[in-house]
Amino acid sequence: MSTSAYQQWMHLTDAEKKYLTSHPHHAFAIRAAKDKAFAETVTRFSRNGRNDKSDAFRHCYWTALLARDIGHANAQRFTTAHESDPNNPANEKSMDLHNNAVGLSIGLSMADDAKLSQQCMNALLAGRLQVITP
């Protein structure tokens, strides 16, 4: 079941809302990158887990797509805003920010979706991405 734009807006952090208020033209690219990252993670791992390898990959790939599509600085701002929920456990926030940083650097290659995905998978296999739960 799809969620309405209002429901999606209400699930954003205050920092994400602030970013999108000043960059409304990025909303579609951010949503498209999220959808691609979730789908690719299911393709590669058969699930979208939490704090595991699938989570690490998803964050890397999502951020790589964003860095390519909305620019490195904007992707960094939005993905950092995404992690700004005060209820986000510190170790999970640290893991996600690390994996986002790897994705930001991968996104600078401006590669197509398949290459970005493979570069994030290679980063995971090389131990460059962090996980909490193996």
Side-chain angles (χ1 to χ4, degrees):
M1 181 185 324
S2 68
T3 56
S4 72
Y6 176 77
Q7 289 169 318
Q8 292 173 42
W9 178 260
M10 295 311 295
H11 282 90
L12 297 176
T13 67
D14 289 343
E16 286 173 306
K17 290 175 183 176
K18 183 177 179 182
Y19 178 88
L20 287 172
T21 298
S22 62
H23 299 84
H25 54 290
H26 290 166
F28 291 109
I30 291 167
R31 178 60 192 250
K34 174 189 173 272
D35 290 345
K36 284 180 190 178
F38 270 77
E40 183 69 7
T41 302
V42 169
T43 297
R44 287 189 177 265
F45 297 90
S46 300
R47 65 191 228 108
N48 274 289
R50 183 170 175 172
N51 300 324
D52 62 3
K53 291 178 181 182
S54 71
D55 188 11
F57 170 84
R58 185 179 60 251
H59 273 266
C60 179
Y61 185 50
W62 178 53
T63 307
L65 291 166
L66 289 177
R68 182 195 65 197
D69 296 344
I70 66 172
H72 183 279
N74 288 322
Q76 184 175 31
R77 279 188 215 110
F78 187 79
T79 58
T80 300
H82 181 71
E83 301 303 332
S84 68
D85 184 337
N87 297 316
N88 192 5
N91 62 337
E92 293 182 24
K93 179 177 181 176
S94 177
M95 176 189 135
D96 292 344
L97 289 173
H98 172 85
N99 296 332
N100 291 350
V102 175
L104 286 168
S105 67
I106 289 171
L108 290 173
S109 72
M110 304 301 282
D112 64 31
D113 293 356
K115 288 180 182 169
L116 292 178
S117 173
Q118 189 57 52
Q119 289 176 25
C120 286
M121 192 66 187
N122 292 345
L124 177 66
L125 295 172
R128 292 179 45 218
L129 300 182
Q130 292 180 356
V131 298
I132 296 171
T133 309

